């Protein structure tokens, strides 16, 4: 430990006090002193021990690059006092490679200096000479050469005998590469016929590449992994080859002993899981029962279990069932999350303004495995609250069902709407890309305004029965921070009059996007959406049930919902069709921060549409730029969209601050 004047270490009856060392040097020195004290035993200290400790401390400093280090000792009551004078540190001087090297000298020098330059607080221009680091670096150079097929490569470190007047010590690394070995004909025997293409691809990839034992072992592990991924969980691969004395090609035969293919006969969970967690896990992994083990399918179900939010950690292992290697017991272990969480969520965007919400979530309500959630939030548009109950495994199936009751007040514009909604949503993720949901619900709403007319707001009091479905095919690498891939989604909803308000219509939405990486930091993205209402003119549809355009997720030269007809007081009236398309280039200027330029085009129509593909040809545009700062839940996005063809009463552009990609 450190004291006001230095450091000290205790063992048995001995206390060793050390001064003259820096904090960065003490940890290694303390470890060495403890080793020596342990060897000496727990007896009282004496002069022989003090002399030995001084000697070892001096040798330690010499090895660490202080050749003139001196250590003095003296006995004190109950201990030993060591005083260190390190002297001047030796620095690395000129570095020379001797011998023929098949790789660039600069690359090999980097390997040689790697351990030295990775030291804490190192001076990269004048690194300190540490013998052990140099020897380790020479070993890295040797390993690098052997990885390139020079299996007999040897390196010898030849440092200058002493440092020069400038306290720099030159060194030479002598390299003897020897002959080079490369993969010749790589063949495989014993591979299951179902995996022949996959395993043979490994052979083709190896042919002609530098030969080394590490690469052989890597291929063996990869072949075992390919087998395991498709049910041959006990596969073991060996390799036969003969090395010539003068190098050249090496023919390798990989022999796969696949064993029996495993079929999952049972799913079991660890006893520590709660009753609700066991129910969910057994339901989520149920499709594997009776099936040949496939890693891709198991991983998919594994992720779906984690998506419930019930588990902080999960692990699966297939165990032989009663000694039968062809029958597998999928054993699930892990750790549940804390079920109850309460959160406070402040926020801001350019449409709703400042927001604040309180959330409650119980991922294992009454130990059923169901999730009870509630939220109450407030913004400039008014309060919103809901309570929902989600069953992640309805009737122990792959479907989830959510029942939701919501209350909302919306008074953002020249009208006030109070609404309630009760809905049931049944959803399923079919595979990594495909998901769908079906829903049914009812809403009751009341709209009032002292400014707007009835044709502008639509019915004042109305109740609707809503039935519909969603389907999505998503090939993006991430749903919140996509860099590549594409998705396409569709939604259709039929709304019919429930209590005589005369409202009835069908709404359809089609949306998609494509993300294309151009370089590691530069990407292109494009997206489009078409929303259409059929069965009624705009003035017969409740104002908040209409479609809108403009805002951070559509044409960005307009405020939220404000592309299209707007009252003198600023209320968007919406319509029956909205078309939007966008293209965007972005560049990562620094970690997690992107600069983007974009172009948008869109339109809003108010007619009685004849098909889901109807839209207005009165197009409006936006060109602009923005910043995106990536966070785990999506990017914080700031965009300014300019209106190049401004019409009377319109702004020249609009600034948007929001979260998430535009499409």
């Amino acid at each position: 430990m450190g004291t006001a004047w230095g450091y000290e270490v205790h063992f048995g009856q001995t206390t060793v006090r050390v001064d003259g060392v820096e904090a960065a040097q003490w940890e290694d020195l303390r470890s060495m002193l403890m080793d020596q004290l342990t060897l000496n035993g727990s007896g009282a200290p004496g002069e022989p021990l003090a002399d030995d400790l001084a000697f070892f401390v001096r040798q330690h400093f010499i090895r660490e690059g202080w050749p003139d280090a001196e250590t003095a000792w003296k006995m004190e009551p109950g201990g030993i006092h060591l005083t260190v004078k390190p002297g001047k540190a030796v620095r690395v001087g000129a570095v020379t490679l001797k011998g023929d090297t098949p790789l660039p000298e600069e690359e090999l020098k980097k390997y040689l200096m790697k351990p030295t330059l990775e030291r804490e607080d190192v001076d990269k221009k004048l690194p300190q000479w540490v013998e052990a680091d140099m020897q380790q670096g020479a070993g890295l150079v040797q390993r690098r050469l052997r990885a390139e097929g020079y299996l007999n490569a040897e390196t010898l470190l030849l440092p200058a005998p002493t440092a020069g007047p400038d306290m720099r010590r030159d060194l030479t690394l002598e390299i003897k590469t020897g002959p080079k070995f490369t993969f010749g004909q790589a063949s495989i025997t014993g591979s299951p016929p179902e995996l022949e293409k996959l395993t043979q691809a490994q052979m083709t990839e190896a042919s002609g590449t530098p030969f080394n034992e590490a690469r052989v072992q890597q291929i063996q592990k990869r072949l075992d992994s390919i087998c395991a991924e498709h049910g041959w969980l006990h596969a073991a691969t060996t390799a036969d080859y003969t090395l010539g004395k003068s190098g050249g090609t090496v023919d390798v035969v990989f022999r796969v002993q696949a064993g029996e293919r495993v079929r999952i006969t049972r799913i079991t969970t660890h006893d520590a899981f709660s009753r609700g967690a066991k129910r969910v896990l057994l339901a989520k992994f149920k499709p594997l029962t009776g099936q040949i083990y496939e890693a891709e399918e198991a991983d998919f179900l594994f992720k779906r279990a984690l998506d419930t939010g019930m588990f902080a950690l999960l692990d699966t292992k297939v165990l032989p069932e009663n000694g039968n290697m062809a029958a597998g017991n999928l054993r699930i272990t892990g750790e549940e999350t804390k079920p109850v969480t309460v959160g406070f969520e402040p926020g801001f965007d350019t449409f709703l303004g400042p927001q604040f919400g309180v959330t409650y979530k119980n991922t294992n309500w009454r130990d059923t495995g169901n999730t009870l959630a509630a939220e109450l939030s407030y913004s400039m548009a008014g309060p919103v609250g809901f309570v929902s109950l989600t069953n992640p495994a309805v009737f122990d199936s792959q479907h989830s069902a959510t029942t939701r009751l919501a209350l909302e007040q919306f008074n953002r514009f020249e009208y006030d709407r109070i609404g309630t909604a009760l809905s049931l949503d049944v959803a399923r993720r079919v595979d990594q890309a495909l998901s769908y949901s079906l829903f049914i619900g009812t809403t009751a709403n009341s709209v009032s305004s002292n400014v707007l007319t009835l044709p502008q707001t639509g019915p004042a009091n109305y109740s609707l029965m809503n039935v519909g479905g969603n389907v999505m095919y998503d090939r993006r690498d991430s749903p919140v921070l996509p860099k590549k891939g594409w998705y396409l989604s569709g939604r259709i909803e039929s709304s019919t009059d429930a209590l005589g308000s005369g409202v009835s219509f069908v709404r359809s939405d089609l949306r998609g996007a494509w993300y294309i990486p151009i370089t590691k930091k530069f990407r292109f993205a494009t997206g489009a959406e078409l929303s259409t209402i059929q069965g009624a003119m705009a003035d017969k549809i409740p104002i908040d049930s209409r479609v809108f355009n403009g805002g951070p997720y559509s044409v960005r030269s307009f405020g939220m919902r404000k592309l299209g007809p707007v009252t003198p007081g600023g209320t968007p009236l919406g319509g029956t069709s909205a078309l939007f398309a966008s293209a965007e280039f972005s560049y990562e200027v620094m970690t997690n921060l992107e600069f983007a330029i974009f172009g948008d085009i869109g339109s809003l129509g108010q007619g009685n549409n004849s098909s889901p593909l109807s839209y207005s040809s009165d197009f409006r545009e936006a060109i602009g730029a923005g910043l995106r700062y990536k966070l785990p839940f999506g990017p914080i996005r700031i965009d300014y969209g300019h209106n190049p063809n401004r019409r009377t009463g319109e702004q020249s552009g609009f600034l948007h601050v929001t979260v998430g990609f535009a499409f």
Side-chain angles (χ1 to χ4, degrees):
M1 65 179 179
T3 67
W5 53 267
Y7 297 88
E8 60 183 41
V9 62
H10 307 275
F11 184 81
Q13 301 180 39
T14 303
T15 296
V16 179
R17 300 198 299 172
V18 184
D19 60 13
V21 300
E22 297 179 0
Q25 302 164 340
W26 172 242
E27 188 59 34
D28 289 340
L29 188 60
R30 187 197 67 82
S31 178
M32 184 274 292
L33 289 171
M34 281 297 297
D35 289 343
Q36 296 302 319
L37 291 173
T38 303
L39 291 173
N40 185 65
S42 58
E47 292 186 356
L49 175 60
D51 194 58
D52 285 347
L53 292 180
F55 171 79
F56 285 120
V57 169
R58 180 173 182 271
Q59 292 302 311
H60 173 81
F61 273 87
I62 291 173
R63 288 193 305 270
E64 292 294 305
W66 284 274
D68 300 327
E70 296 179 358
T71 305
W73 62 269
K74 66 178 180 180
M75 301 301 298
E76 295 180 341
I80 300 169
H81 182 191
L82 301 177
T83 301
V84 181
K85 294 181 179 179
K88 292 184 178 180
V90 174
R91 305 290 178 174
V92 178
V95 178
T96 305
L97 300 185
K98 181 181 178 181
D100 295 330
T101 58
L103 299 176
E105 282 196 8
E106 287 305 313
E107 179 183 347
L108 296 181
K109 286 181 180 179
K110 286 181 180 179
Y111 279 95
L112 176 61
M113 296 301 299
K114 182 177 173 64
T116 300
L117 296 177
E118 287 183 345
R119 279 184 163 254
E120 189 175 355
D121 298 326
V122 68
D123 183 344
K124 294 186 180 298
K125 293 183 178 180
L126 286 174
Q128 193 164 328
W129 174 282
V130 180
E131 183 78 20
D133 288 350
M134 293 302 164
Q135 293 293 349
Q136 185 181 354
L140 292 178
V141 172
Q142 179 175 287
R143 288 170 57 187
R144 179 70 183 91
L145 292 169
R146 291 185 177 182
E148 286 296 313
Y150 299 93
L151 304 186
N152 301 322
E154 295 181 355
T155 58
L156 179 62
L157 196 66
L158 301 172
T162 59
D166 57 358
M167 297 304 291
R168 297 191 189 185
R169 191 176 182 187
D170 299 339
L171 72 146
T172 300
L173 183 67
E174 185 176 32
I175 299 175
K176 296 180 180 179
T177 57
K180 183 175 183 178
F181 297 82
T182 59
F183 274 97
Q185 181 179 356
S187 58
I188 186 170
T189 63
S191 174
E194 296 91 335
L195 305 180
E196 186 174 346
K197 288 184 179 180
L198 291 173
T199 54
Q200 190 57 47
Q202 299 294 313
M203 304 301 98
T204 303
E205 183 180 329
S207 182
T209 61
F211 178 88
N212 59 76
E213 293 182 358
R215 176 69 172 133
V216 172
Q217 293 173 1
Q218 182 184 30
I219 294 174
Q220 288 177 244
K221 291 180 180 179
R222 179 58 186 141
L223 292 173
D224 290 345
S225 177
I226 290 173
C227 291
E229 288 170 2
H230 297 279
W232 286 274
L233 299 179
H234 312 295
T237 303
T238 58
D240 295 331
Y241 57 88
T242 302
L243 297 177
K245 293 183 179 181
S246 57
T249 58
V250 180
D251 296 335
V252 185
V253 178
F254 293 93
R255 304 185 188 279
V256 179
Q257 295 179 332
E260 296 186 81
R261 200 173 188 186
V262 175
R263 186 180 298 275
I264 302 299
T265 57
R266 192 159 58 109
I267 311 291
T268 59
T269 63
H270 193 273
D271 291 340
F273 282 124
S274 65
R275 178 170 60 91
K278 290 179 180 179
R279 180 185 79 85
V280 172
L281 288 172
L282 292 176
K284 290 299 182 184
F285 285 91
K286 184 178 179 180
L288 295 181
T289 306
Q291 303 297 316
I292 294 293
Y293 178 83
E294 288 284 347
E296 184 176 357
E297 177 67 11
D299 288 346
F300 170 71
L301 299 178
F302 181 91
K303 292 175 182 177
R304 299 290 72 76
L306 288 176
D307 286 346
T308 63
M310 294 183 65
F311 307 100
L313 179 68
L314 282 179
D315 187 36
T316 60
K317 188 175 183 180
V318 180
L319 304 174
E321 187 78 303
N322 298 323
N324 183 358
M325 304 301 284
N329 169 14
L330 184 73
R331 181 70 171 168
I332 308 172
T333 58
E335 180 182 340
E336 295 181 52
T337 58
K338 182 181 178 181
V340 178
T341 57
V342 177
F344 301 91
E345 300 180 350
F348 175 84
D349 76 14
T350 46
F351 178 59
L352 296 176
Q355 305 170 68
F356 182 79
V358 180
T359 62
Y360 168 87
K361 193 172 187 180
N362 187 334
T363 57
N364 193 9
W365 183 61
R366 303 186 68 176
D367 202 14
T368 61
N370 298 334
T371 296
L372 178 68
E375 179 178 333
L376 178 63
S377 62
Y378 187 86
S379 70
M380 290 178 61
V384 176
F386 76 83
V387 177
S388 67
L389 183 65
T390 300
N391 184 343
V394 180
F395 303 121
D396 295 334
S397 72
Q398 297 303 296
H399 290 85
S400 66
T402 299
T403 303
R404 189 174 189 269
L405 174 64
L407 304 173
E408 177 185 14
Q409 181 178 6
F410 185 89
N411 55 9
R412 183 71 176 84
F413 299 111
E414 298 170 296
Y415 65 93
D416 186 33
R417 179 177 66 84
I418 298 176
T420 62
L422 178 64
S423 63
L424 173 65
D425 187 297
V426 178
R428 183 185 177 189
R429 183 78 177 263
V430 180
D431 55 31
Q432 295 285 2
L434 180 63
S435 61
Y436 67 84
S437 68
L438 302 172
F439 60 87
I440 183 171
T442 182
T443 64
N445 300 270
S446 175
V447 178
S448 61
S449 175
N450 296 323
V451 179
L452 304 183
T453 65
L454 190 62
Q456 290 176 322
T457 63
N461 297 285
Y462 60 95
S463 297
L464 298 175
M465 179 69 70
N466 306 307
V467 179
N470 297 277
V471 63
M472 184 170 190
Y473 195 78
D474 190 348
R475 301 293 296 180
R476 293 173 294 179
D477 58 343
S478 168
V480 294
L481 294 171
K483 292 184 178 180
K484 64 179 180 179
W486 58 275
Y487 79 89
L488 186 65
S489 68
R491 183 179 188 274
I492 188 167
E493 177 181 1
S494 175
S495 297
T496 56
D497 178 20
L499 296 175
S501 57
V503 178
S504 180
F505 58 90
V506 175
R507 173 170 173 165
S508 58
D509 299 271
L510 184 64
R511 188 177 182 93
W514 189 17
Y515 304 85
I516 306 170
I518 300 173
T519 66
K520 187 176 181 179
K521 294 187 175 184
F522 188 42
R523 69 170 177 85
F524 171 74
T526 183
E529 180 178 12
L530 175 61
S531 298
T532 306
I533 293 176
Q534 304 149 68
M537 299 288 287
D539 58 2
K540 301 300 182 182
I541 300 171
I543 187 168
D544 280 330
S545 296
R546 300 169 189 170
V547 298
F548 294 89
N549 209 333
Y553 303 103
S554 53
V555 181
R556 283 166 276 186
S557 55
F558 292 86
M560 189 73 167
R561 300 186 177 189
K562 291 196 173 182
L563 187 157
V566 179
T567 68
T571 299
L573 298 178
T576 56
S577 68
L579 176 64
F580 157 70
S582 180
E584 179 174 295
F585 289 93
S586 64
Y587 183 79
E588 188 176 29
V589 294
M590 58 185 295
T591 302
N592 292 329
L593 181 65
E594 289 187 354
F595 172 76
I597 57 173
F598 59 83
D600 305 328
I601 188 171
S603 65
L604 186 78
Q606 291 191 304
N608 190 348
N609 301 301
S610 59
S611 81
L613 300 180
S614 299
Y615 62 89
S616 168
S617 59
D618 182 18
F619 291 113
R620 310 306 310 279
E621 305 84 20
I623 54 174
L627 295 172
R628 292 97 176 82
Y629 187 78
K630 297 180 181 178
L631 294 171
F633 53 81
I636 295 177
R637 182 162 54 92
I638 303 174
D639 284 336
Y640 179 79
H642 172 65
N643 186 348
N645 296 302
R646 178 182 176 188
R647 296 178 184 176
T648 302
E650 294 178 347
Q651 295 181 230
S652 59
F654 208 88
L655 179 68
H656 302 278
V657 180
T658 190
V659 175
F661 278 100
F663 42 82

